[in-house]
Amino acid sequence: MAIMTASSSLAFLPVLERIAEETERMSRHGRPADYIPALAACDPRRFGMAVAELDGTVYGVGDWLQPFSTQSITKVFTLALDLAREGDNLWEHVGREPSGNPFNSLVQLEYEHGIPRNPFINAGALVVTDRLQSRTGDAAGELLAFLRAESGNRALDFDKEIAASETAHGDRNAALAHFMASYGNIRNPVPVLLDQYFRQCAIAASCADLALATGFLARHGIRADGTRLLSRSQAKQVNAVMLTCGTYDAAGDFAYRVGLPGKSGVGGGIIAVVPGRCTLCVWSPGLDERGNSVAGVAALDRFTTLTGLSVF
């Protein structure tokens, strides 16, 4: 695997090279997500990893420039965009606690009166997308514009095949949305919300794109152009929820092994934040039973072990 860089700085190159070599040698475990047919054909042997420093310097290894389906990773950016607009009022409609259940579970909603446990399970992400839709009229479009600006990649776009596949197999998400609507926690018509949500999850981006786009969380709320998206306190809130809820019911194990705020997606990607230092994205489509990339978690574990960078 060759390593490339956008800068002459060599700070992270030896670490990435070592991780790449170890990942190449180890047997690949896990299976691509098969409940979304368009993802099922992904090769679980693919692997890419990128690190972006605060100034936009980005390093990569393996398939770091290969676009993949971002899926639930986008929930972080939608949360930030809505939190920037409505502030703490958002937390009246979605919680901040780990769920302890699978990401698409309906179990907790009934006895918690239609208030999702956190913004990163599917029910919570639907609420956040719904609220951003009410404020912008095009939540998915607002998200795409943000990712293009922060990554510097104007070619980022929706993957229509993935969006269509999710729409055709989206009954559980529809059930979640209708159930929350019955409690008055969804404002927009459910078909409109689902269209926005499926498009949001179907954005294709590379490890380089996502590492760069996540940079505002390492810069305590400051965007790539120097303007402020979130207050320092709000950036801390997003990072905290990522740490406790970003990898679903495996969040405790992820915090134990990696020690960074992170957010996974069933496309095989994981983003992670080292506040004040850098951001990362790793991609490998083979998932464990909880929906997290097997090689991705292992690579992030090695990164924090080799560099000593963590929030602990």
Side-chain angles (χ1 to χ4, degrees):
M1 292 183 178
I3 295 176
M4 304 171 67
T5 177
S7 159
S8 59
S9 174
L10 300 176
F12 290 115
L13 291 184
V15 175
L16 290 181
E17 183 174 31
R18 182 169 174 180
I19 292 170
E21 290 172 352
E22 291 177 0
T23 303
E24 182 72 16
R25 288 197 304 266
M26 77 177 190
S27 60
R28 298 292 168 81
H29 299 284
R31 298 173 56 186
D34 57 8
Y35 66 93
I36 302 173
L39 295 180
C42 293
D43 183 353
R45 294 171 297 179
R46 302 293 293 271
F47 176 83
M49 187 173 185
V51 180
E53 295 186 315
L54 301 186
D55 63 359
T57 301
V58 61
Y59 316 85
V61 63
D63 298 313
W64 73 302
L65 297 176
Q66 174 64 43
F68 62 90
S69 186
T70 53
Q71 294 296 309
S72 290
I73 289 174
T74 59
K75 295 172 181 177
V76 170
F77 306 106
T78 306
L79 172 62
L81 290 170
D82 188 72
L83 189 61
R85 286 165 169 79
E86 68 169 311
D88 286 347
N89 185 56
L90 169 63
W91 303 119
E92 296 178 12
H93 302 273
V94 62
R96 301 185 295 271
E97 296 293 333
S99 69
N101 286 311
F103 57 84
N104 58 357
S105 174
L106 290 95
V107 172
Q108 290 171 332
L109 279 177
E110 184 164 13
Y111 61 80
E112 294 184 351
H113 309 292
I115 304 296
R117 186 65 68 89
N118 67 68
F120 295 148
I121 55 175
N122 287 14
L126 285 164
V127 168
V128 175
T129 298
D130 176 68
R131 300 185 71 77
L132 185 62
Q133 175 69 13
S134 294
R135 282 163 176 75
T136 65
D138 183 8
E142 191 78 11
L143 169 64
L144 181 61
F146 177 82
L147 292 176
R148 285 174 171 174
E150 297 306 292
S151 68
N153 184 358
R154 305 302 301 177
L156 289 185
D157 211 343
F158 306 106
D159 185 318
K160 295 180 180 178
E161 180 186 0
I162 295 290
S165 185
E166 294 208 53
T167 299
H169 298 83
D171 291 339
R172 184 174 287 265
N173 284 313
L176 290 167
H178 281 293
F179 192 84
M180 291 186 295
S182 74
Y183 280 95
N185 203 23
I186 295 293
R187 296 177 175 179
N188 293 279
V190 169
V192 172
L193 170 58
L194 292 175
D195 177 67
Q196 290 287 324
Y197 181 71
F198 293 143
R199 290 172 65 216
Q200 164 190 321
C201 292
I203 291 173
S206 69
C207 291
D209 296 326
L210 291 170
L212 288 167
T214 310
F216 72 99
L217 289 174
R219 293 188 293 268
H220 308 295
I222 302 295
R223 295 185 60 169
D225 64 3
T227 61
R228 181 170 287 281
L229 174 69
L230 300 175
S231 70
R232 192 180 184 96
S233 178
Q234 288 173 326
K236 178 194 71 175
Q237 291 169 7
V238 174
N239 280 326
V241 178
M242 287 173 67
L243 181 67
T244 58
C245 308
T247 48
Y248 311 117
D249 52 335
D253 185 63
F254 186 84
Y256 177 84
R257 293 181 60 186
V258 177
L260 294 174
K263 182 72 195 82
S264 62
V266 297
I270 308 173
I271 56 171
V273 181
V274 185
R277 181 63 188 271
C278 65
T279 49
L280 304 98
C281 181
V282 61
W283 171 61
S284 188
L287 308 180
D288 61 24
E289 68 279 0
R290 292 170 172 174
N292 300 311
S293 170
V294 175
V297 173
L300 291 171
D301 183 358
R302 291 299 291 150
F303 178 86
T304 54
T305 298
L306 292 170
T307 63
L309 294 174
S310 84
V311 297
F312 301 110

